[in-house]
Amino acid sequence: MTMTTPRIHRAAPNDPAPAARRMPAPVPRWWRDASGVALWALLVAVTALWVAHGGIQDLGSLGDGLISLGRLTGLIASALLLVQVLLMARIPWFEQAWGQDELARTHRLVGFTSFNLMLGHIGLIVLGYAASSSLGLWGTTWDLVVNYPGVLLSVAGTAALVMVVVTSIKKARARLRYESWHLIHLYGYLGAGLALPHQLWTGQDFTASTVATWFWWTLYAVAAASVLVFRFAVPLERSWRAPLRVTEVRRDSVDVTTVTVAGPGASRLAAHGGQFFQWRFLDGPGWTRAHPYSLSAAPDGTTLRFTAAHVGDGTHRLASLRPGTRVLVEGPYGRLHQGVRTRRKVLLMASGIGITPMRALLEDLQQTPGDVTLLHRVHDVDSAVLSDEVAGLAAARGARYLVIDGARIPDRATWLPMSASHLTDADALRHLVPDVHDHDVYVCGGAGWMDAAHSALTSAGVPAENIHLERFTY
């Protein structure tokens, strides 16, 4: 394979002693277990309420049995819909335990499961009522929609959720601009809200007992409060009380821009190298849409810096930002930081613009010479973003920095260039890092490349819990 150790073209960046930086606290492993148990406990509680309200007894006849199963699927669908909201509410304990990568993928799985159960709920309820009615299938459907309280609103909510689900299918998602997809996705909140009146007015399992009423009201209230507090109140409070402003905009290449912001709020955010923020710049139309950018330098208490490739409207605007522009941030987010590390040796793997969090991690990690290796996969050496800075940092901290360049291997899912086509993905890793199985590994890059890198790491013997990923496409 083609492998290059870049020359240092300018002075190495300042490198404060690791002890001088505030290290992130280790993330307790039991947080993951506790949140997983809470999810299953929620589903058990929903099922138990259905049983307590005669769900099993109603299975004795065709019509009542279909309606009872429809109630159960509707209840679980509603619970999972609210779980979706909680997963993406930026609740700190969930986010730190799982990271946005796993939360987003779980959100997607839970979302499709909830949607399918919701369709099952609609079908079973209609068939159940039609079985004991003289109106027929279509007549019963019309009667339910027009005459039952809240059902028409739930139909509108279902339509909103259909739009969200359809645009979340990967092929459809790939055709949409990020800004359009994000706007459409917000209709999921509308869908959840429009389903509430139907449950309040006609949902037997919502109103059958005081326990059931309190259970569902509490669940809705927790979901709504989580969004209002962690998606809106906390970010706004941080951004307005301690304002951040753009201090420097640097064009690294035709399609890459580095932005530095500073202000009294920077020291209060407790950010660490490898994490990312959702950024909003108050520079005109479009400021309401947030974009996720990883820090490309370790926070120093006064400034935050990110580097982004121009891949959409939001990133193209970065090059035209002016110093002094006000900045709103949500975060920090992500598990690509020192707090999830469990081993002395660390391997950082990046492709393309994925080098940005790795550059910050390289600067932030506690290390002694020889502890850290950074592999940067690029099409050619000239396109290696921040290579001078990374080379300087690596030299200052005693880390290995290898740029692996070349065109990708056609017809093969791999992290390697064509020059390494004679090697398996795992063998190439072992060649570059012989004891890779004894490393914590941080990975960031394109989705397909990350999947190939993850597979190679697993094949090379790296335990799953020591592989830390951050995806920005789902």
Side-chain angles (χ1 to χ4, degrees):
M1 73 184 74
T2 304
M3 186 169 61
T4 306
T5 303
R7 296 166 57 190
I8 304 172
H9 299 291
R10 56 175 178 248
N14 293 332
D15 181 47
R21 296 199 183 97
R22 185 172 65 177
M23 291 294 108
V27 178
R29 290 183 178 271
W30 67 265
W31 287 5
R32 295 168 68 95
D33 298 332
S35 56
V37 169
L39 171 60
W40 287 108
L42 173 63
L43 298 181
V44 169
V46 168
T47 306
L49 287 173
W50 170 78
V51 172
H53 300 147
I56 293 179
Q57 293 91 318
D58 290 341
L59 298 177
S61 65
L62 177 62
D64 288 344
L66 290 171
I67 292 172
S68 183
L69 291 175
R71 283 166 43 209
L72 178 60
T73 54
L75 291 169
I76 295 177
S78 296
L80 290 179
L81 183 60
L82 295 175
V83 167
Q84 278 187 277
V85 174
L86 291 170
L87 287 173
M88 301 309 290
R90 314 289 198 218
I91 300 172
W93 305 279
F94 288 176
E95 206 280 333
Q96 292 175 43
W98 295 95
Q100 284 298 302
D101 181 68
E102 288 194 68
L103 285 178
R105 286 186 288 128
T106 304
H107 169 82
R108 179 181 176 84
L109 175 62
V110 170
F112 281 113
T113 302
S114 174
F115 181 72
N116 290 332
L117 287 170
M118 182 188 68
L119 293 182
H121 163 71
I122 295 170
L124 288 167
I125 290 293
V126 170
L127 290 173
Y129 277 99
S132 55
S133 171
S134 60
L135 295 176
L137 181 62
W138 298 113
T140 299
T141 302
W142 179 261
D143 182 54
L144 288 171
V145 172
V146 174
N147 296 321
Y148 281 68
V151 174
L152 186 59
L153 288 175
S154 70
V155 170
T158 301
L161 292 173
V162 168
M163 183 166 55
V164 172
V165 169
V166 169
T167 56
S168 295
I169 297 172
K170 288 186 177 180
K171 288 187 177 180
R173 169 72 181 89
R175 293 176 177 271
L176 287 172
R177 294 164 53 241
Y178 171 81
E179 293 82 3
S180 300
W181 174 83
H182 185 265
L183 181 61
I184 292 172
H185 216 66
L186 294 178
Y187 280 91
Y189 294 111
L190 178 63
L194 290 175
L196 180 59
H198 163 57
Q199 288 182 300
L200 280 173
W201 297 333
T202 62
Q204 173 183 335
D205 295 273
F206 200 103
T207 58
S209 68
T210 302
V211 172
T213 301
W214 273 100
F215 174 85
W216 284 105
W217 270 116
T218 300
L219 191 56
Y220 267 95
V222 168
S226 297
V227 172
L228 292 174
V229 170
F230 297 114
R231 294 297 297 268
F232 295 99
V234 171
L236 283 174
E237 188 271 339
R238 287 177 175 173
S239 295
W240 286 107
R241 282 189 59 196
L244 297 172
R245 295 184 183 275
V246 174
T247 58
E248 181 185 6
V249 179
R250 185 183 79 198
R251 288 293 290 266
D252 293 293
S253 67
V254 175
D255 59 353
V256 176
T257 298
T258 293
V259 177
T260 302
V261 306
S267 61
R268 302 181 185 181
L269 293 173
H272 300 285
Q275 293 188 298
F276 71 95
F277 287 85
Q278 296 280 352
W279 304 80
R280 292 180 174 87
F281 298 94
L282 307 188
D283 61 339
W287 70 267
T288 57
R289 293 188 290 272
H291 293 268
Y293 302 128
S294 296
L295 297 175
S296 60
D300 58 11
T302 59
T303 64
L304 300 172
R305 195 192 85 171
F306 68 86
T307 302
H310 301 173
V311 294
D313 292 349
T315 47
H316 278 102
R317 290 173 56 199
L318 295 177
S320 62
L321 284 175
R322 296 182 178 182
T325 300
R326 189 73 176 269
V327 184
L328 303 181
V329 296
E330 295 176 46
Y333 301 127
R335 284 171 54 85
L336 292 185
H337 60 71
Q338 167 97 357
V340 302
R341 180 183 181 182
T342 61
R343 298 185 173 189
R344 180 176 64 85
K345 291 190 174 183
V346 174
L347 171 62
L348 308 176
M349 297 182 67
S351 73
I353 198 64
I355 192 63
T356 57
M358 299 307 169
R359 186 259 183 237
L361 257 175
L362 177 63
E363 186 177 8
D364 214 21
L365 285 173
Q366 289 183 322
Q367 58 189 282
T368 57
D371 285 351
V372 177
T373 300
L374 193 158
L375 305 180
H376 189 190
R377 175 75 175 90
V378 295
H379 186 270
D380 56 73
V381 174
D382 291 338
S383 65
V385 179
L386 303 178
S387 61
D388 290 355
E389 291 187 16
V390 177
L393 271 173
R397 310 214 63 187
R400 296 172 64 214
Y401 172 40
L402 304 175
V403 175
I404 301 170
D405 63 307
R408 63 182 179 181
I409 303 172
D411 304 321
R412 174 177 160 186
T414 179
W415 70 277
L416 296 170
M418 192 179 299
S419 58
S421 59
H422 60 290
L423 297 171
T424 68
D425 284 22
D427 286 342
L429 269 177
R430 294 191 191 96
H431 172 72
L432 295 170
V433 189
D435 57 345
V436 64
H437 56 279
D438 288 330
H439 286 61
D440 263 309
V441 185
Y442 296 79
V443 186
C444 189
W449 183 88
M450 290 179 68
D451 290 339
H454 185 276
S455 178
L457 290 164
T458 302
S459 299
V462 182
E465 61 268 21
N466 295 117
I467 303 174
H468 314 293
L469 306 172
E470 201 74 78
R471 293 181 178 86
F472 294 96
T473 56
Y474 307 99

